[in-house]
Amino acid sequence: QVQLAESGGGLVQAGGSLRLSCTASGSIAGTNDMRWYRQAPGKQRELVASSPSGGRINYADSVKGRFTISRDVAKNTVYLQMNSLKPEDTAVYYCYASIRAALMSRARDYWGQGTQVTVSS
């Protein structure tokens, strides 16, 4: 059973920083894309940053220059360093990963439970 566990959310003042972590656990044979999404109240879930395996990192325009996604392949962990936070960054942040579990022939999508990030003005 593969699971994603997130941590690092919280309350921060505008201009501050937070670092989110997401670790995949279980019998993992391979990990492809790892991404961060967010969903603000009353809005659709949106892609914040993506880190394809061996591919080009992408960011939403709204976070470019402020957020950095990184991966520790050995630990099956993806991070999101968030700097210069703004009130409009307030949302529940979700980790996503495309993972092929052991003994499985194809990868499937996995989601974390979400972690709340609140930025006060």
Side-chain angles (χ1 to χ4, degrees):
Q1 181 79 8
V2 174
Q3 292 183 322
L4 299 183
E6 300 155 349
S7 62
L11 173 64
V12 65
Q13 289 187 331
S17 298
L18 284 174
R19 188 193 194 207
L20 306 183
S21 300
C22 172
T23 298
S25 62
S27 299
I28 298 171
T31 304
N32 302 320
D33 285 18
M34 298 192 83
R35 308 171 191 164
W36 287 97
Y37 288 80
R38 68 185 181 187
Q39 187 166 18
K43 294 187 177 181
Q44 290 188 332
R45 189 172 298 189
E46 63 172 349
L47 177 64
V48 175
S50 62
S51 177
S53 177
R56 181 178 176 180
I57 288 175
N58 289 292
Y59 297 96
D61 288 343
S62 58
V63 307
K64 282 180 181 177
R66 300 187 298 121
F67 290 10
T68 302
I69 188 172
S70 60
R71 291 172 66 164
D72 184 330
V73 176
K75 296 181 179 180
N76 280 313
T77 298
V78 62
Y79 304 96
L80 186 68
Q81 178 66 44
M82 305 185 293
N83 299 329
S84 302
L85 283 161
K86 304 175 181 180
E88 51 263 44
D89 294 319
T90 295
V92 177
Y93 284 71
Y94 296 91
C95 173
Y96 159 91
S98 173
I99 294 174
R100 184 170 66 84
L103 304 180
M104 302 298 286
S105 59
R106 299 169 66 178
R108 56 159 286 190
D109 300 338
Y110 292 88
W111 290 89
Q113 78 284 0
T115 185
Q116 177 70 46
V117 171
T118 302
V119 184
S120 63
S121 57

